[in-house]
Amino acid sequence: MSRTSIVIVGTGWAGYTISQKLDDKKFDITVISPEETSPYTPLLASAACGLFDFSLAEEPIRHKSKNISYYKARVQSVDFDSKTCKCRAACDVDGGSTREFDVSYDRLILAPGYATARSRACLKLINRSCVTNTFRTPGADEHAFFVRNVADAKRVQHRLMQLLELASIPGLTDQEQRDLLHIVIVGGGPTVVEIAAEMSDLFNDDFSKLYPDLNGKMSVTIHDAAQFILGAFEESLRQHAISSFSKRHVQVVTGSKIKEVTTNSITTEAEGRLGCGMVIWTAGNKQCALVDGLDVAKTDKLPRIMTDDYLHALSPDKTSMRDVFAIGDAADIKKQFLPTTAEVAVQKAEYLAKMLNADDTSTPFEYKQKALVAYIGGHDGVVHGRPDWSGERAWAAWRSKNLLWTRSYRRKFMIVLYWFLDWAGGKEIARI
Ligand SMILES: Cc1cc2nc3c(=O)[nH]c(=O)nc-3n(C[C@H](O)[C@H](O)[C@H](O)COP(=O)(O)OP(=O)(O)OC[C@H]3O[C@@H](n4cnc5c(N)ncnc54)[C@H](O)[C@@H]3O)c2cc1C
């Protein structure tokens, strides 16, 4: 008897998790995604700032121990009647990205994400169809940096190192040096805060010794259009983060409307032109092209695939599609408004794998909110949960959560080893 074929679209938190949790003895599992690795997004800021090797911030989809077929390709469209995915290869060698092929399925799991951030140049390079919503801010798509996967994190680190070297060249004025070493981060969520925290650690602790002539000239500014950062956290924790940042050369500008981004400046409505060496854009995301073109019901707020409580995608007339499921940032349960986080993506993927493995459709999905943790630099953190806390204990909680995110023992071991090496001999990019 032939086995049920399951096709998974995407290798982010949702797609990767379910690919590993499904029973490969029971199902023929095929994964289709332009990315052959899954990024550990909560670890990207640390990797960009040299806490550990980039390879530790992602996990390959191919494992010797798991029987999965993987195609490095992008699903262009899905024909739900004939149960076929129309795909285009995403291999950027020898015309690979022009090859088209079909993959049929018995069951389809859609997990193409929602929040894929890319610059236009990069989109062209790797044949992506998802873009960040830079709210049509002139210059943002072309000149801003994004932190979505390891390739992005590498670009950020490379730019940072180049800025430091450029600022060290003789003949620059004090202001020119300060502008080059001014990093602007746009957004207000935990991701922004963590990038700012890691950068401020680098500037205050590591680079101040490595580049003594530039000491005191490096700065980070967070710009957010909202009235406060860390919106999901308690007011007292938000205040703690802002006062902790101000001691570490991180300025927080809220209610800031950015009018233009260039390679070396941003222009805001309130302050005009501000010189900077790099703009990292994390705010706002657009749905990906695949979701846009699918003939399914979509949610109102962010257009995401609407599902029922068992994670079946809903057809335009809101009836459940028995063999199509949608999870991760790309989907939301009717009337639930769950956040676009790895936490939700992983919980849905684990639930769905359990349900499919057991052929049990009796229990609806229920999201369990866990404590929110953010690092704010200088061994300080904030935890929003029961109870709220901040300080070194919160930093330790954030560190251990980082470790919990990684899914292989090899990576856990290597990350702990790196932490020890960083402590004993300095980070790889700023060794003692
Ligand atoms: C820097 C950063 C830090 C974060 N930190 C946290 C955190 O601490 N805690 C937390 O809970 N969340 C965090 N998040 C959010 C979290 O990463 C996302 O919610 C999560 O990645 C969503 O997972 P996903 O699988 O739905 O989508 P994604 O991770 O976006 O993956 C989508 C996948 O689908 C693929 N794809 C897209 N289109 C197609 C197509 N047409 N065909 C085939 N494949 C396609 C993509 O290549 C990708 O592999 C962070 C995000 C970022 C960027």
Side-chain angles (χ1 to χ4, degrees), residues 418-431:
Y418 262 93
W419 285 344
F420 172 74
L421 292 174
D422 293 348
W423 171 75
K427 291 172 189 153
E428 189 60 30
I429 53 174
R431 268 193 273 165

Side-chain angles (χ1 to χ4, degrees), residues 291-326:
V291 175
D292 209 11
L294 287 178
D295 191 23
V296 293
K298 314 255 172 72
T299 57
D300 296 336
K301 268 184 159 180
L302 306 170
R304 300 159 81 187
I305 303 167
M306 193 187 283
T307 72
D308 62 16
D309 291 336
Y310 303 87
L311 312 186
H312 296 104
L314 301 185
S315 56
D317 65 3
K318 308 272 170 67
T319 52
S320 300
M321 301 164 85
R322 301 314 307 170
D323 296 319
V324 183
F325 301 87

Side-chain angles (χ1 to χ4, degrees), residues 17 79 145 163 177 187 214 242 254 260 272 275 367 380 398 418:
T17 305
D79 183 335
F145 286 71
L163 290 170
Q177 287 178 316
L214 302 177
I242 289 173
T254 53
E260 193 186 8
Y367 176 60
D380 193 359
W398 171 78
Y418 262 93

Side-chain angles (χ1 to χ4, degrees), residues 7-23:
V7 169
I8 301 167
V9 179
T11 47
W13 281 103
Y16 178 88
T17 305
I18 195 156
S19 74
Q20 302 304 306
K21 299 273 173 183
L22 279 174
D23 184 350

Side-chain angles (χ1 to χ4, degrees), residues 62-374:
R62 291 183 191 272
H63 289 278
K64 282 186 193 165
S65 58
K66 196 84 190 173
N67 193 7
I68 292 174
S69 300
Y70 166 69
Y71 301 133
K72 186 172 171 63
R74 174 172 296 287
V75 175
Q76 308 277 77
S77 61
V78 181
D79 183 335
F80 295 118
D81 295 328
S82 65
K83 294 192 167 187
T84 309
C85 295
K86 302 235 163 262
C87 309
R88 176 184 279 237
C91 311
D92 206 27
V93 284
D94 296 340
S97 55
T98 57
R99 288 189 177 271
E100 297 194 349
F101 59 100
D102 290 354
V103 177
S104 55
Y105 62 83
D106 295 319
R107 284 174 178 169
L108 177 66
I109 299 170
L110 294 163
Y114 187 89
T116 305
R118 279 292 168 279
S119 71
R120 255 181 214 156
C122 180
L123 271 172
K124 216 172 142 200
L125 194 71
I126 59 173
N127 186 28
R128 276 177 169 269
S129 60
C130 304
V131 286
T132 307
N133 192 351
T134 48
F135 307 106
R136 296 195 185 151
T137 307
D141 283 338
E142 295 85 352
H143 304 301
F145 286 71
F146 302 89
V147 186
R148 184 69 209 167
N149 59 19
V150 166
D152 293 338
K154 279 183 183 168
R155 271 188 283 274
V156 167
Q157 190 185 98
H158 181 257
R159 173 80 176 184
L160 193 61
M161 302 313 286
Q162 294 304 304
L163 290 170
L164 284 151
E165 296 309 337
L166 184 54
S168 304
I169 300 280
L172 273 80
T173 64
D174 182 76
Q175 190 55 48
E176 282 172 333
Q177 287 178 316
R178 285 179 189 281
D179 284 352
L180 281 172
L181 302 178
H182 176 210
I183 309 300
V184 170
I185 311 176
V186 182
T191 304
V192 176
V193 166
E194 282 169 14
I195 298 171
E198 296 286 13
M199 290 256 177
S200 79
D201 281 358
L202 264 185
F203 286 175
N204 290 302
D205 308 333
D206 303 284
F207 289 160
S208 61
K209 294 182 196 113
L210 208 60
Y211 297 89
D213 295 345
L214 302 177
N215 207 353
K217 295 178 183 172
M218 307 173 217
S219 63
V220 177
T221 311
I222 296 174
H223 281 265
D224 191 21
Q227 290 310 316
F228 40 77
I229 58 164
L230 289 176
F233 287 70
E234 280 298 317
E235 167 69 20
S236 59
L237 295 176
R238 294 204 294 258
Q239 288 308 327
H240 177 79
I242 289 173
S243 83
S244 173
F245 271 151
S246 67
K247 293 179 203 141
R248 300 180 61 76
H249 305 288
V250 179
Q251 200 197 342
V252 179
V253 186
T254 53
S256 175
K257 188 162 183 328
I258 296 175
K259 287 167 65 186
E260 193 186 8
V261 176
T262 71
T263 39
N264 56 9
S265 71
I266 58 160
T267 304
T268 72
E269 210 164 73
E271 296 175 275
R273 186 186 178 282
L274 302 165
C276 62
M278 169 161 56
V279 177
I280 303 175
W281 195 286
T282 71
N285 297 288
K286 263 193 200 169
Q287 80 190 110
C288 83
L290 174 63
V291 175
D292 209 11
L294 287 178
D295 191 23
V296 293
K298 314 255 172 72
T299 57
D300 296 336
K301 268 184 159 180
L302 306 170
R304 300 159 81 187
I305 303 167
M306 193 187 283
T307 72
D308 62 16
D309 291 336
Y310 303 87
L311 312 186
H312 296 104
L314 301 185
S315 56
D317 65 3
K318 308 272 170 67
T319 52
S320 300
M321 301 164 85
R322 301 314 307 170
D323 296 319
V324 183
F325 301 87
I327 53 176
D329 283 2
D332 202 5
I333 300 170
K334 195 177 166 186
K335 295 189 183 149
Q336 284 214 3
F337 309 116
L338 291 177
T340 51
T341 62
E343 201 74 69
V344 176
V346 168
Q347 284 190 36
K348 282 188 178 177
E350 286 176 344
Y351 157 85
L352 188 56
K354 199 170 158 197
M355 197 182 83
L356 292 172
N357 286 342
D359 267 332
D360 171 20
T361 53
S362 58
T363 324
F365 171 76
E366 205 179 314
Y367 176 60
K368 292 180 186 69
Q369 177 67 56
K370 297 197 180 150
L372 299 171
V373 188

